[in-house]
């Protein structure tokens, strides 16, 4: 198929662009296979270069009056922008609308722009090989307890897992294969993280126990090998007991108590994230609708913010992640996290818990490695989840903003501990954008199996290769950063949670003054060492206050572990 077949009008003069915070621009619209380009002869006016992949939905509105008066095309984008194109001729209006709609509806990854993009910069490091399990777990693999397994090299054991797996040395490959048949989609318990005190964080999918409480000695052997004799661990199930019962009637369920005597089970109600019924994206759509309603009164805004439940989802994820982190850090107990498929809420909880506990995850490279380990290599289906977003009327139950929830949780931690992160929240926004539309191939595909099938490492460029260039990453470094080896225990009280206005309101409220102020602060700190010293002193005072608050929070949360 040629892109030209889909484009009825490749070039059109006299198109007027309306975009946030800019005066209307009269220029020439060019439609290519991957971009909309609007250029003008006016000086000091920036051209529009919009990836077709960034468009979530295309709407049209006829101009009133005669049939030849043309109309307006409204482009609602996955970065929350809303653009309008005024086209004077009805014939051209229809042609442009259908051309954009056809291009935006293409769902073949191989036709997306990353396969055609050729970087204009030299590749300093290959992002596709930067965070492989062999290097990420090198210290762990040097011990006598863990090894590399290649049983999944052909993805025959589990299609959504990586081809290289880190497993206990005492567990052979036959046991892994048998355990995979006991878990949904073959996602047997797999290492996520080893804490400083030796406690292990695992993730998996639900066991296929059915109503007969079927057991798997291979699965039990893996968990026993991780836990060791005479020790206790926790299974954090991200589903409510009601949903677990429903899953059990369909062949799933949770671990039978009698066969896992060393493990205490705790159920957390993240059902909306587990079921992938599209309701979380519906809630998020309500949030964005409220954000875009500039005429709304304060009372109605607060009511709509509450009714969309987005911050409630954030609170629930942070609460469960804190519980996991407390089990690991305060109790010294190993933890297995799973819901049903283990592709959404499970990854959310294990990754946020690591950001809380592991200071390395609060660095630039550490966050990238975490996203690789816990999302890309762990099989989060980016291609499916991000196909449509909050504006689209054709979204399905498989579209889910799970990864955005993860980034928002980090934003909440960053808001409460602004000096403990090496990066700014602007880097989180950049990662969000590239996970939905990009020049790069990092987030294409649903798992490593599909990425190997498409030969992404040969055909596309890695997003990390771009981001880690010195001239790029310096723009996202936090000037207030001071390495903090301690855990960052957040307050999860509703009053402590903050709407991410820097992202959700950026096309509604012009933030140029905030950006300008941040740049000035950055320059002042770089140029004045005494000022940096004062900032660090103030930071330590704030941390002391935070520790007092944390002590109160942890005391109130300890009752959860007793259950």
């Amino acid at each position: 198929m040629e892109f030209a077949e889909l484009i009825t009008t490749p070039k059109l003069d006299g198109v007027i662009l309306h975009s946030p915070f800019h005066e209307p621009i009269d220029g020439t619209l060019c439609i290519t296979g991957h971009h909309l380009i609007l250029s003008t002869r006016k000086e000091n006016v920036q051209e529009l270069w919009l990836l077709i992949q960034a468009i979530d939905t295309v709407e049209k509105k006829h101009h009133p009056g005669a049939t030849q008066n043309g109309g307006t095309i409204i482009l609602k984008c996955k970065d929350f922008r809303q653009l309008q194109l005024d086209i004077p001729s009805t014939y051209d209006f229809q042609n442009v609308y259908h051309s954009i709609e056809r291009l935006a509806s293409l769902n073949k990854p191989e036709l997306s722009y990353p396969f055609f993009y050729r970087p204009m910069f030299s590749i300093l490091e290959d992002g596709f090989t930067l965070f492989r399990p062999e290097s990420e777990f090198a210290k762990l693999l040097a011990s006598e307890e863990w090894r590399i397994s290649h049983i999944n090299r052909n993805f025959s054991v589990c299609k959504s897992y990586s081809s290289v797996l880190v497993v206990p040395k005492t567990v052979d490959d036959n046991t892994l294969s048998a355990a995979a048949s006991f878990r949904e989609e073959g996602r047997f318990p797999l290492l996520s993280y080893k804490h400083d005190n030796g406690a292990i964080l695992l993730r998996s999918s639900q066991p296929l126990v059915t109503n007969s409480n079927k057991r798997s000695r291979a699965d039990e052997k893996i968990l026993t090998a991780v836990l060791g004799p005479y020790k206790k661990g926790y299974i954090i199930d991200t589903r409510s007991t009601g949903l677990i019962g429903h899953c059990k009637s369909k062949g799933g369920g949770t671990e039978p108590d009698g066969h896992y005597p060393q493990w205490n089970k705790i159920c957390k109600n993240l059902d909306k994230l587990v079921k992938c019924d599209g309701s979380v994206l519906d809630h998020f759509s309500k949030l964005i609708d409220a954000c875009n309603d500039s005429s709304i009164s304060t009372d109605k805004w607060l009511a709509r913010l509450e009714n969309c439940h987005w911050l409630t989802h954030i609170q629930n994820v942070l609460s469960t992640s804190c519980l996991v982190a407390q089990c690991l850090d305060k109790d010294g107990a190993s933890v297995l996290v799973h819901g049903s498929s283990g592709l959404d809420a499970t990854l959310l909880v294990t990754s946020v818990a690591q950001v809380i506990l592991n200071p390395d995850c609060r660095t630039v490279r550490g966050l990238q490695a975490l996203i690789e380990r816990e999302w890309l290599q762990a099989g989060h289906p980016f291609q499916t989840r991000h196909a449509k977003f909050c504006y689209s009327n054709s979204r399905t139950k498989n579209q889910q903003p799970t990864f955005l929830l993860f980034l928002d949780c980090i934003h909440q931690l960053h808001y409460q501990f602004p000096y403990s992160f090496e990066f700014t929240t602007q880097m989180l926004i950049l990662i969000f954008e590239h996970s939905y539309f990009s020049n790069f191939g990092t987030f294409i595909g649903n798992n490593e199996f599909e990425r190997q099938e498409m030969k992404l490492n040969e055909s596309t460029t890695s997003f990390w290769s771009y981001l880690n260039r010195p001239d790029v990453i310096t723009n996202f470094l936090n000037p207030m950063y001071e390495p903090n080896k301690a855990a960052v225990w957040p307050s999860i009280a509703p009053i402590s949670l903050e709407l991410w206005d820097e992202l959700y309101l950026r096309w509604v409220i012009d933030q140029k003054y905030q950006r300008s102020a941040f740049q000035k602060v950055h320059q002042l700190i770089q140029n004045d060492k005494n000022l940096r010293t004062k900032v660090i002193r103030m930071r330590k005072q704030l941390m002391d206050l935070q520790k007092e608050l944390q002590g109160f929070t942890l005391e109130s949360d300890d009752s959860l572990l007793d259950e």
Side-chain angles (χ1 to χ4, degrees), residues 13 17 162 178 207 247 276 386 424 461 464 476:
D13 294 325
L17 168 68
S162 171
C247 292
C276 286
H386 291 195
T424 65
T461 304
W464 310 129
F476 301 102

Side-chain angles (χ1 to χ4, degrees), residues 132 183 191 216 226 234 271 295 330:
R132 297 303 301 162
R183 296 277 176 174
L191 173 72
S216 168
V226 169
Y234 292 95
D271 291 359
S295 63
K330 305 297 181 184

Side-chain angles (χ1 to χ4, degrees), residues 18 28 31 43 94 135 137 142 152 194 211 231 250 256 339 381 400 417 510:
H18 300 265
T28 300
I31 305 176
E43 294 183 2
Q94 295 290 354
S135 57
F137 292 105
N152 201 41
K194 182 178 180 181
N211 285 319
K231 290 186 178 181
K250 294 190 172 183
Q400 190 90 327
F417 301 91
D510 194 345

